[in-house]
């Protein structure tokens, strides 16, 4: 199992550009989430999904869109990048069986918006 | 919505001493409380978790305690080692909503 795979690992965008951060998991997990991590602010929830076709907003959803057409994939779209979106983005997934409640995180995407 | 506060923001201990990190949460309906460890430049990794029907859980040198009445939970690390140095995050959620909210983290440094 590859676990949770995020691409790209690094990205530089110009203000106003759009892009999609990819996230895929091969563990047949129903639950997936996107977090951003900024210094001193911990991990903040952007969007999450409890299954294919079902998504909901987290703490900081503005400027981001998500969709969940398959169990495996949960892409995060930046519609019009702003410098305030410079951050490290983590995708995470978890199963629904006893003993597997904890999230498994991907390795992250470091995004810089100039 | 849920809000999680975590203290202290930094903690320095001597190797072999104990370390305690405390978190409080706001939503009394929350019933799942995990702890994550993040080493520099790495992804967060789950180290221990507790559900609201349990007051304490232990796994070797780490333990978590939960006080639902006071809405706080703590991470205890005994016999600390230099490899315990990392940032530790607590989190809370109402389990079936899956809206996991994190604290702001504690940077633990263990000096040899």
């Amino acid at each position: 199992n590859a676990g949770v795979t995020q691409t790209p690992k690094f990205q530089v965008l110009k203000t106003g550009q759009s892009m999609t951060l990819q996230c895929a998991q091969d563990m047949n997990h129903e639950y997936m989430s996107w977090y951003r991590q900024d210094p001193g602010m911990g991990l903040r929830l952007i969007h999450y999904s409890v299954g294919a076709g079902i998504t909901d907003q987290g703490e900081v959803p503005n400027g981001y869109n998500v969709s969940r057409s398959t169990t495996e994939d949960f892409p995060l779209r930046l519609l019009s990048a702003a410098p305030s979106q410079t951050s490290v983005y983590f995708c995470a997934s978890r199963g629904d069986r006893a003993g597997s409640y904890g999230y498994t995180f991907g390795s992250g995407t470091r995004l810089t918006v100039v | 919505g849920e809000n999680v506060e975590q203290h202290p923001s930094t903690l320095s201990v001597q190797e072999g001493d104990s370390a305690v990190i405390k978190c409080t949460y706001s939503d009394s309906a929350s019933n799942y409380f995990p702890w994550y460890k993040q080493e520099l430049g790495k992804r967060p990794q789950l180290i221990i978790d507790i559900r609201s029907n349990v007051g304490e859980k232990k796994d070797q040198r780490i333990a978590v305690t939960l006080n639902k009445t006071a809405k706080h939970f703590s991470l205890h690390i005994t016999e600390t080692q230099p490899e315990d140095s990392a940032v530790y995050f607590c989190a809370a959620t109402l389990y079936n909503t899956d809206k996991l909210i994190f604290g702001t983290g504690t940077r633990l440094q263990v000096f040899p």
Side-chain angles (χ1 to χ4, degrees):
Chain A
N1 284 353
V4 179
T5 302
Q6 289 185 239
T7 56
K9 293 191 183 303
F10 302 93
Q11 183 70 49
V12 178
L13 286 180
K14 292 183 178 179
T15 298
Q17 286 185 317
S18 63
M19 79 160 294
T20 300
L21 278 62
Q22 302 291 344
C23 176
Q25 50 89 12
D26 61 357
M27 298 172 283
N28 202 30
H29 284 172
E30 289 296 316
Y31 301 90
M32 297 185 75
S33 293
W34 276 102
Y35 287 88
R36 61 177 288 173
Q37 185 171 33
D38 303 294
M41 301 189 74
L43 294 148
R44 292 184 291 169
L45 180 64
I46 304 171
H47 286 284
Y48 65 104
S49 170
V50 299
I54 306 169
T55 64
D56 206 348
Q57 296 182 348
E59 301 169 276
V60 289
N62 292 341
Y64 308 95
N65 273 358
V66 292
S67 60
R68 184 96 180 270
S69 57
T70 67
T71 299
E72 295 78 19
D73 300 298
F74 190 40
L76 178 72
R77 297 183 188 84
L78 280 69
L79 309 173
S80 178
S84 61
Q85 294 179 305
T86 294
S87 188
V88 179
Y89 291 85
F90 286 101
C91 178
S93 75
R94 73 166 182 89
D96 192 27
R97 298 188 310 279
S100 69
Y101 301 130
Y103 270 101
T104 297
F105 281 80
S107 58
T109 295
R110 185 174 295 274
L111 176 68
T112 302
V113 182
V114 297
Chain B
E2 178 63 275
N3 182 54
V4 178
E5 294 189 355
Q6 183 172 347
H7 300 281
S9 56
T10 60
L11 180 60
S12 297
V13 300
Q14 207 72 32
E15 182 177 1
D17 287 349
S18 295
V20 180
I21 302 170
K22 299 182 179 181
C23 290
T24 60
Y25 61 98
S26 61
D27 189 343
S28 57
S30 289
N31 58 6
Y32 174 65
F33 308 92
W35 287 87
Y36 286 81
K37 175 183 180 182
Q38 186 178 29
E39 297 176 347
L40 189 63
K42 302 283 184 67
R43 72 193 77 187
Q45 291 193 303
L46 178 72
I47 56 171
I48 196 168
D49 56 9
I50 193 168
R51 300 195 74 174
S52 61
N53 57 347
V54 175
E56 182 174 359
K57 184 176 178 181
K58 194 172 183 180
D59 183 4
Q60 298 183 350
R61 294 187 298 106
I62 61 174
V64 57
T65 58
L66 171 65
N67 183 328
K68 283 216 62 153
T69 302
K71 291 191 285 186
H72 63 70
F73 57 113
S74 300
L75 177 72
H76 304 255
I77 306 174
T78 59
E79 300 173 23
T80 54
Q81 301 167 3
E83 51 265 40
D84 293 330
S85 296
V87 178
Y88 292 80
F89 292 97
C90 62
T93 188
L94 177 57
Y95 181 68
N96 60 1
T97 69
D98 229 60
K99 196 170 179 178
L100 188 62
I101 304 300
F102 283 81
T104 50
T106 296
R107 183 174 299 279
L108 174 64
Q109 290 183 296
V110 181
F111 292 98

